[in-house]
Amino acid sequence: MGVRRAAKDVGDFLVETVGEAVAEVILSLLACALLGCLALIAYLSWSFSPRFTIAGSGLLSLFLAHGAWQTLRAPAKGRRRGLAALTAVGFTVTAMTALFLLFYTAGCDCL
């Protein structure tokens, strides 16, 4: 019984290790693809119209700044509604995407 249990434990360890390695590769590929898509969007936007790109970047910055302010300030009484909720969600999604890219594109050779 001891040999079977040891073999089962070693097999479980190998399956877990290979699963983690595969998941790491998949996440790194997703991060590189996302970074490439963001760079392509920026390039195409700039080639279409530099003025609209700068104006859009300014509006996006204002949107994210309002979302950060809504998310990080002391909570007000009641729930957030309308634009405040939308900007808070937008900021949170952008922050999580930035963290994802920070963690998984650091080891990527696409940079």
Side-chain angles (χ1 to χ4, degrees), residues 80-106:
R80 292 187 182 117
R81 297 182 189 257
L83 182 64
L86 182 67
T87 59
V89 168
F91 171 73
T92 304
V93 169
T94 303
M96 291 298 113
T97 303
L99 282 174
F100 173 71
L101 288 174
L102 179 70
F103 289 139
Y104 285 103
T105 56

Side-chain angles (χ1 to χ4, degrees), residues 5 7 13 26 34 44 58 60 66 76 81 84 88 92 97 107 110:
R5 183 177 174 133
F13 172 75
I26 289 171
L34 178 63
L44 291 176
L60 181 63
H66 186 264
R81 297 182 189 257
T92 304
T97 303
C110 61

Side-chain angles (χ1 to χ4, degrees), residues 24-91:
E24 188 77 23
V25 167
I26 289 171
L27 286 174
S28 293
L29 288 174
L30 282 173
C32 285
L34 178 63
L35 188 64
C37 287
L38 290 173
L40 179 65
I41 289 169
Y43 172 76
L44 291 176
S45 174
W46 187 264
S47 66
F48 175 70
S49 173
R51 289 180 184 164
F52 284 148
T53 302
I54 292 172
S57 298
L59 287 175
L60 181 63
S61 297
L62 286 174
F63 178 82
L64 293 176
H66 186 264
W69 179 66
Q70 288 293 324
T71 302
L72 302 175
R73 73 179 183 146
K77 292 183 182 180
R79 296 184 323 178
R80 292 187 182 117
R81 297 182 189 257
L83 182 64
L86 182 67
T87 59
V89 168
F91 171 73

